Amino acid sequence: MSEHIQLNATLPDALAGRRLDQALAEVFPDYSRSRLKQWLEAGSILVDGQKHRPKDKIWGGEKVVLDVVLEPQREYVAQAIPLDIVYEDEQLLVINKPAGLVVHPGSGNPDGTMLNALLHHVPALENIPRAGIVHRLDKETTGLLVVAKTLPAQTALVEQLQERAFEREYDAISVGKMTAGGRIEAPIGRHPVDRTRMAVISSGKEAVTHYRVAERFRGHVHIKVKLETGRTHQIRVHMSHRQYPLVGDPAYGGRLRFPRGCSDELRQVLRAFKRQALHASRLGLVHPETGEYIEWYAKLPDDIEQLMTALRLDAKGE
Protein backbone atom coordinates (compact mmCIF):
# COMPACT_ATOMS: atom_id res chain seq x y z
CA MET A 1 0.00 0.00 0.00
CA SER A 2 1.50 3.35 -1.07
CA GLU A 3 1.81 6.43 1.18
CA HIS A 4 1.09 9.98 -0.04
CA ILE A 5 3.10 12.93 1.36
CA GLN A 6 2.00 16.50 0.59
CA LEU A 7 3.81 19.51 2.08
CA ASN A 8 3.94 23.24 1.35
CA ALA A 9 6.56 25.77 2.41
CA THR A 10 8.04 29.17 1.63
CA LEU A 11 11.82 29.36 1.38
CA PRO A 12 13.10 31.89 3.97
CA ASP A 13 14.90 35.03 2.78
CA ALA A 14 17.74 34.09 5.13
CA LEU A 15 18.60 31.16 2.81
CA ALA A 16 19.07 33.37 -0.28
CA GLY A 17 22.08 32.28 -2.33
CA ARG A 18 22.02 28.70 -1.08
CA ARG A 19 21.62 25.66 -3.32
CA LEU A 20 18.03 24.51 -3.61
CA ASP A 21 18.71 21.05 -2.15
CA GLN A 22 20.46 22.65 0.84
CA ALA A 23 17.55 25.03 1.41
CA LEU A 24 15.02 22.20 1.18
CA ALA A 25 16.95 20.22 3.80
CA GLU A 26 16.52 23.22 6.13
CA VAL A 27 12.81 23.60 5.37
CA PHE A 28 11.98 19.86 5.44
CA PRO A 29 14.36 18.51 8.13
CA ASP A 30 12.42 15.25 8.42
CA TYR A 31 13.89 14.09 5.10
CA SER A 32 17.51 13.64 4.14
CA ARG A 33 19.17 15.86 1.56
CA SER A 34 19.83 12.89 -0.71
CA ARG A 35 16.15 11.90 -0.61
CA LEU A 36 15.03 15.48 -1.32
CA LYS A 37 17.48 15.58 -4.22
CA GLN A 38 15.91 12.41 -5.66
CA TRP A 39 12.44 13.91 -5.36
CA LEU A 40 13.60 17.13 -7.03
CA GLU A 41 15.05 15.21 -9.96
CA ALA A 42 11.85 13.17 -10.26
CA GLY A 43 9.72 16.33 -10.40
CA SER A 44 8.00 15.55 -7.10
CA ILE A 45 9.08 18.92 -5.66
CA LEU A 46 8.10 22.08 -7.55
CA VAL A 47 9.37 25.59 -6.82
CA ASP A 48 6.94 28.34 -7.87
CA GLY A 49 5.20 25.69 -9.94
CA GLN A 50 8.35 24.73 -11.86
CA LYS A 51 10.79 21.83 -11.79
CA HIS A 52 14.28 22.89 -10.70
CA ARG A 53 17.71 21.30 -10.36
CA PRO A 54 19.20 20.56 -6.93
CA LYS A 55 22.13 22.90 -7.61
CA ASP A 56 19.98 25.90 -8.60
CA LYS A 57 20.41 28.93 -6.33
CA ILE A 58 17.41 30.37 -4.50
CA TRP A 59 16.42 33.99 -3.85
CA GLY A 60 14.16 33.49 -0.84
CA GLY A 61 10.39 33.72 -0.82
CA GLU A 62 9.82 30.93 -3.36
CA LYS A 63 6.77 28.71 -2.83
CA VAL A 64 7.61 25.02 -2.60
CA VAL A 65 5.17 22.14 -3.06
CA LEU A 66 6.31 18.62 -2.16
CA ASP A 67 3.99 15.94 -3.51
CA VAL A 68 5.39 12.42 -3.20
CA VAL A 69 3.88 8.97 -3.39
CA LEU A 70 6.03 6.38 -1.62
CA GLU A 71 5.76 3.14 -3.55
CA PRO A 72 6.13 -0.21 -1.76
CA GLN A 73 9.39 -2.13 -2.15
CA ARG A 74 7.81 -4.97 -4.07
CA GLU A 75 11.00 -6.97 -4.47
CA TYR A 76 10.77 -8.13 -0.84
CA VAL A 77 8.09 -10.43 0.57
CA ALA A 78 6.62 -10.37 4.09
CA GLN A 79 7.28 -13.57 6.05
CA ALA A 80 5.99 -14.70 9.45
CA ILE A 81 9.36 -15.03 11.15
CA PRO A 82 9.40 -14.53 14.97
CA LEU A 83 11.06 -11.36 16.27
CA ASP A 84 12.29 -10.75 19.82
CA ILE A 85 11.00 -7.18 20.22
CA VAL A 86 12.61 -5.26 23.09
CA TYR A 87 10.82 -1.94 22.46
CA GLU A 88 8.28 -0.51 20.04
CA ASP A 89 6.42 2.77 19.55
CA GLU A 90 5.17 4.74 16.54
CA GLN A 91 8.70 5.74 15.50
CA LEU A 92 11.04 2.95 16.55
CA LEU A 93 11.40 -0.78 16.84
CA VAL A 94 14.28 -2.32 18.82
CA ILE A 95 14.99 -6.00 18.21
CA ASN A 96 17.20 -8.53 19.98
CA LYS A 97 18.51 -10.50 16.99
CA PRO A 98 19.29 -14.20 17.42
CA ALA A 99 22.28 -15.98 15.90
CA GLY A 100 21.65 -17.30 12.40
CA LEU A 101 19.24 -14.56 11.30
CA VAL A 102 20.44 -12.50 8.33
CA VAL A 103 19.42 -8.83 8.63
CA HIS A 104 18.93 -7.93 4.96
CA PRO A 105 18.39 -10.06 1.83
CA GLY A 106 21.44 -10.47 -0.34
CA SER A 107 23.46 -12.95 -2.32
CA GLY A 108 22.68 -16.42 -0.98
CA ASN A 109 19.92 -15.09 1.30
CA PRO A 110 17.02 -13.91 -0.91
CA ASP A 111 14.49 -14.24 1.92
CA GLY A 112 14.09 -15.58 5.45
CA THR A 113 15.77 -12.42 6.79
CA MET A 114 14.95 -9.90 9.48
CA LEU A 115 13.74 -7.53 6.76
CA ASN A 116 11.16 -10.09 5.62
CA ALA A 117 10.04 -10.52 9.24
CA LEU A 118 9.75 -6.74 9.69
CA LEU A 119 7.47 -6.43 6.65
CA HIS A 120 5.16 -9.02 8.21
CA HIS A 121 5.18 -7.35 11.63
CA VAL A 122 4.74 -3.77 10.28
CA PRO A 123 3.37 -3.87 6.70
CA ALA A 124 3.78 -0.08 6.35
CA LEU A 125 7.56 -0.57 6.38
CA GLU A 126 7.25 -1.53 2.71
CA ASN A 127 7.23 2.24 2.06
CA ILE A 128 10.50 2.86 3.93
CA PRO A 129 13.86 2.14 2.21
CA ARG A 130 15.36 -1.13 3.50
CA ALA A 131 12.20 -1.50 5.65
CA GLY A 132 13.63 1.04 8.10
CA ILE A 133 16.87 -0.83 8.81
CA VAL A 134 19.62 1.71 9.56
CA HIS A 135 22.43 -0.54 10.82
CA ARG A 136 23.19 -4.24 10.77
CA LEU A 137 24.70 -7.12 12.69
CA ASP A 138 26.47 -10.08 11.10
CA LYS A 139 24.39 -13.22 10.63
CA GLU A 140 25.92 -15.04 13.62
CA THR A 141 26.22 -11.99 15.89
CA THR A 142 23.42 -11.60 18.43
CA GLY A 143 21.96 -8.53 20.06
CA LEU A 144 20.28 -5.17 19.66
CA LEU A 145 19.25 -3.43 16.45
CA VAL A 146 17.04 -0.37 15.98
CA VAL A 147 14.61 -0.01 13.07
CA ALA A 148 12.90 3.22 11.98
CA LYS A 149 9.16 2.96 11.36
CA THR A 150 8.84 6.31 9.54
CA LEU A 151 10.91 8.28 7.03
CA PRO A 152 11.55 11.15 9.49
CA ALA A 153 12.70 8.66 12.12
CA GLN A 154 15.00 6.99 9.60
CA THR A 155 16.51 10.36 8.63
CA ALA A 156 17.13 11.24 12.29
CA LEU A 157 18.69 7.85 13.12
CA VAL A 158 20.97 7.88 10.08
CA GLU A 159 22.16 11.36 11.07
CA GLN A 160 22.93 10.10 14.58
CA LEU A 161 24.90 7.20 13.13
CA GLN A 162 26.87 9.52 10.86
CA GLU A 163 27.59 11.83 13.79
CA ARG A 164 28.69 8.82 15.89
CA ALA A 165 25.98 9.63 18.43
CA PHE A 166 24.78 6.03 18.87
CA GLU A 167 26.01 4.29 22.02
CA ARG A 168 26.83 0.70 21.05
CA GLU A 169 28.48 -1.72 23.44
CA TYR A 170 29.23 -5.37 22.75
CA ASP A 171 30.25 -8.36 24.83
CA ALA A 172 32.87 -10.62 23.26
CA ILE A 173 35.03 -13.58 24.26
CA SER A 174 38.55 -13.32 22.86
CA VAL A 175 41.38 -15.82 22.70
CA GLY A 176 44.56 -14.83 24.52
CA LYS A 177 45.83 -13.30 27.77
CA MET A 178 44.95 -9.61 27.79
CA THR A 179 46.49 -7.41 30.47
CA ALA A 180 44.43 -4.28 29.84
CA GLY A 181 41.96 -2.68 27.46
CA GLY A 182 42.78 -0.17 24.80
CA ARG A 183 41.86 1.69 21.63
CA ILE A 184 42.27 0.39 18.11
CA GLU A 185 42.44 2.87 15.27
CA ALA A 186 43.14 0.97 12.06
CA PRO A 187 41.47 1.45 8.64
CA ILE A 188 39.30 -1.40 7.36
CA GLY A 189 38.60 -2.32 3.75
CA ARG A 190 37.86 -5.29 1.55
CA HIS A 191 40.54 -8.01 1.78
CA PRO A 192 42.82 -7.70 -1.27
CA VAL A 193 42.68 -11.44 -2.04
CA ASP A 194 39.60 -12.90 -0.31
CA ARG A 195 36.78 -10.50 -1.29
CA THR A 196 34.33 -12.10 1.16
CA ARG A 197 36.44 -10.89 4.09
CA MET A 198 37.53 -7.53 5.45
CA ALA A 199 41.04 -6.58 6.57
CA VAL A 200 43.10 -3.80 8.09
CA ILE A 201 44.56 -2.07 5.03
CA SER A 202 46.01 1.41 4.49
CA SER A 203 43.44 2.23 1.79
CA GLY A 204 40.49 1.25 4.01
CA LYS A 205 37.97 3.49 5.76
CA GLU A 206 38.61 4.95 9.20
CA ALA A 207 37.69 2.50 11.96
CA VAL A 208 37.94 3.08 15.72
CA THR A 209 37.21 0.47 18.42
CA HIS A 210 37.51 0.77 22.22
CA TYR A 211 37.71 -2.30 24.47
CA ARG A 212 38.13 -3.06 28.15
CA VAL A 213 38.56 -6.22 30.20
CA ALA A 214 35.46 -7.48 32.01
CA GLU A 215 36.73 -10.89 33.18
CA ARG A 216 39.91 -12.91 32.65
CA PHE A 217 40.17 -16.67 32.27
CA ARG A 218 43.26 -18.85 31.80
CA GLY A 219 43.59 -18.45 28.07
CA HIS A 220 40.63 -16.27 27.19
CA VAL A 221 39.11 -12.94 28.16
CA HIS A 222 35.62 -11.48 28.33
CA ILE A 223 35.77 -7.94 26.92
CA LYS A 224 33.38 -5.02 26.57
CA VAL A 225 33.71 -3.30 23.21
CA LYS A 226 32.45 0.12 22.12
CA LEU A 227 32.32 1.30 18.52
CA GLU A 228 33.06 4.80 17.29
CA THR A 229 32.64 3.76 13.67
CA GLY A 230 30.58 0.98 12.12
CA ARG A 231 32.62 -0.81 9.48
CA THR A 232 31.72 -4.29 8.25
CA HIS A 233 33.07 -6.96 10.66
CA GLN A 234 34.85 -4.15 12.57
CA ILE A 235 35.18 -5.79 16.00
CA ARG A 236 36.10 -9.16 14.53
CA VAL A 237 38.76 -7.66 12.25
CA HIS A 238 40.23 -5.31 14.84
CA MET A 239 40.51 -7.91 17.61
CA SER A 240 42.08 -10.42 15.21
CA HIS A 241 44.49 -7.67 14.09
CA ARG A 242 45.53 -7.24 17.76
CA GLN A 243 46.04 -11.02 18.08
CA TYR A 244 42.93 -11.44 20.23
CA PRO A 245 40.53 -13.14 17.78
CA LEU A 246 37.00 -13.93 18.91
CA VAL A 247 36.19 -17.47 19.99
CA GLY A 248 34.45 -19.41 17.22
CA ASP A 249 35.01 -16.79 14.51
CA PRO A 250 35.05 -18.79 11.25
CA ALA A 251 36.56 -15.99 9.17
CA TYR A 252 39.05 -14.26 11.48
CA GLY A 253 39.56 -16.66 14.38
CA GLY A 254 42.34 -18.81 12.98
CA ARG A 255 42.86 -22.35 14.22
CA LEU A 256 41.13 -23.57 17.37
CA ARG A 257 43.36 -23.01 20.41
CA PHE A 258 43.07 -24.45 23.93
CA PRO A 259 44.67 -23.12 27.15
CA ARG A 260 47.55 -25.20 28.44
CA GLY A 261 46.16 -28.00 30.60
CA CYS A 262 42.63 -27.29 29.39
CA SER A 263 39.90 -29.49 30.88
CA ASP A 264 38.08 -31.98 28.67
CA GLU A 265 34.80 -30.15 29.40
CA LEU A 266 36.16 -26.84 28.09
CA ARG A 267 37.63 -28.55 25.02
CA GLN A 268 34.18 -29.91 24.18
CA VAL A 269 32.52 -26.51 24.67
CA LEU A 270 35.11 -24.71 22.53
CA ARG A 271 34.87 -27.30 19.75
CA ALA A 272 31.07 -26.97 19.74
CA PHE A 273 31.08 -23.17 19.61
CA LYS A 274 30.73 -22.55 15.87
CA ARG A 275 30.01 -18.80 15.69
CA GLN A 276 31.85 -15.66 16.72
CA ALA A 277 31.31 -15.02 20.44
CA LEU A 278 29.93 -11.53 19.95
CA HIS A 279 26.76 -9.96 21.33
CA ALA A 280 25.41 -6.39 20.95
CA SER A 281 24.36 -5.93 24.57
CA ARG A 282 23.69 -2.19 24.87
CA LEU A 283 22.20 0.35 22.47
CA GLY A 284 21.60 4.01 23.25
CA LEU A 285 20.25 6.83 21.08
CA VAL A 286 18.20 10.02 21.09
CA HIS A 287 14.55 9.34 20.31
CA PRO A 288 13.80 11.04 16.96
CA GLU A 289 10.46 12.46 18.13
CA THR A 290 10.83 13.19 21.85
CA GLY A 291 14.52 14.13 21.87
CA GLU A 292 14.98 11.92 24.94
CA TYR A 293 18.06 9.73 25.27
CA ILE A 294 17.07 6.07 25.72
CA GLU A 295 19.13 2.92 26.33
CA TRP A 296 18.26 -0.74 25.96
CA TYR A 297 20.07 -3.83 27.24
CA ALA A 298 20.00 -7.44 26.08
CA LYS A 299 21.37 -10.18 28.33
CA LEU A 300 23.95 -12.61 27.00
CA PRO A 301 22.50 -15.45 24.93
CA ASP A 302 22.58 -18.96 26.38
CA ASP A 303 25.49 -20.21 24.27
CA ILE A 304 27.83 -17.41 25.40
CA GLU A 305 26.70 -17.84 29.02
CA GLN A 306 27.49 -21.57 28.79
CA LEU A 307 30.88 -20.78 27.26
CA MET A 308 31.71 -18.38 30.10
CA THR A 309 30.61 -20.92 32.70
CA ALA A 310 32.97 -23.50 31.18
CA LEU A 311 35.81 -20.95 31.12
CA ARG A 312 35.24 -20.07 34.80
CA LEU A 313 35.20 -23.73 35.87
CA ASP A 314 38.39 -24.37 33.91
CA ALA A 315 40.06 -21.34 35.50
CA LYS A 316 39.20 -22.72 38.97
CA GLY A 317 40.52 -26.14 38.01
CA GLU A 318 37.11 -27.75 38.44
Side-chain angles (χ1 to χ4, degrees):
M1 182 178 176
S2 60
E3 180 183 348
H4 195 185
I5 301 173
Q6 289 179 300
L7 298 170
N8 296 277
T10 300
L11 297 181
D13 293 340
L15 297 179
R18 300 279 291 275
R19 284 174 53 117
L20 176 56
D21 57 350
Q22 293 174 335
L24 291 174
E26 297 275 351
V27 174
F28 301 123
D30 284 345
Y31 306 102
S32 67
R33 184 173 161 186
S34 61
R35 184 166 289 128
L36 291 166
K37 184 177 178 181
Q38 292 173 1
W39 290 343
L40 271 172
E41 293 171 341
S44 298
I45 301 178
L46 299 180
V47 181
D48 289 337
Q50 302 292 319
K51 183 178 177 180
H52 285 258
R53 298 172 300 176
K55 68 179 182 179
D56 288 344
K57 295 292 190 290
I58 70 162
W59 296 93
E62 293 95 333
K63 305 296 183 184
V64 177
V65 176
L66 185 155
D67 193 333
V68 176
V69 176
L70 300 178
E71 295 294 343
Q73 302 180 85
R74 303 209 180 273
E75 67 268 34
Y76 301 126
V77 62
Q79 293 177 302
I81 300 168
L83 290 171
D84 182 0
I85 297 171
V86 175
Y87 174 86
E88 184 173 13
D89 62 21
E90 293 300 314
Q91 305 292 323
L92 302 179
L93 187 62
V94 178
I95 293 166
N96 184 15
K97 190 187 85 67
L101 181 63
V102 174
V103 172
H104 193 283
S107 177
N109 298 286
D111 57 18
T113 70
M114 193 179 86
L115 183 146
N116 302 105
L118 287 169
L119 291 176
H120 182 268
H121 179 68
V122 186
L125 286 175
E126 67 180 3
N127 296 315
I128 310 296
R130 297 175 300 283
I133 295 169
V134 296
H135 64 129
R136 305 186 189 186
L137 293 175
D138 297 335
K139 177 182 179 181
E140 299 300 340
T141 297
T142 55
L144 298 172
L145 276 170
V146 64
V147 176
K149 293 175 67 175
T150 67
L151 270 179
Q154 188 180 51
T155 300
L157 293 177
V158 169
E159 286 178 355
Q160 287 188 54
L161 268 176
Q162 292 173 342
E163 294 169 0
R164 303 182 183 181
F166 270 30
E167 283 288 330
R168 289 178 288 174
E169 186 172 73
Y170 296 72
D171 284 273
I173 310 298
S174 283
V175 180
K177 295 185 177 181
M178 187 182 296
T179 56
R183 180 178 187 270
I184 305 172
E185 184 171 1
I188 292 176
R190 191 67 60 181
H191 194 286
V193 177
D194 184 352
R195 307 301 289 177
T196 65
R197 299 170 62 213
M198 308 301 286
V200 170
I201 54 174
S202 59
S203 60
K205 294 181 179 179
E206 178 194 18
V208 181
T209 302
H210 302 264
Y211 62 98
R212 60 183 175 86
V213 175
E215 186 174 0
R216 293 183 181 86
F217 310 105
R218 288 203 302 131
H220 298 81
V221 61
H222 171 203
I223 57 174
K224 298 279 190 177
V225 186
K226 291 183 69 174
L227 293 179
E228 263 190 49
T229 54
R231 306 303 174 207
T232 301
H233 300 173
Q234 179 172 320
I235 294 173
R236 300 165 63 190
V237 171
H238 268 175
M239 297 316 299
S240 179
H241 178 68
R242 279 285 174 91
Q243 307 301 313
Y244 297 114
L246 303 192
V247 169
D249 193 329
Y252 308 101
R255 63 180 179 81
L256 182 59
R257 286 180 278 174
F258 303 107
R260 187 183 299 274
C262 175
S263 67
D264 290 340
E265 291 76 9
L266 180 57
R267 285 178 183 271
Q268 291 177 8
V269 171
L270 288 171
R271 285 197 181 101
F273 205 94
K274 299 297 186 181
R275 72 174 184 94
Q276 62 268 10
L278 183 62
H279 174 68
S281 53
R282 182 169 70 92
L283 174 66
L285 53 86
V286 175
H287 193 283
E289 186 172 59
T290 67
E292 176 189 4
Y293 178 78
I294 313 176
E295 283 190 343
W296 298 274
Y297 298 85
K299 69 180 185 68
L300 290 173
D302 291 343
D303 61 347
I304 293 183
E305 284 283 14
Q306 291 165 6
L307 171 62
M308 289 178 61
T309 296
L311 288 167
R312 290 187 187 110
L313 292 174
D314 177 77
K316 293 177 180 177
E318 297 180 11

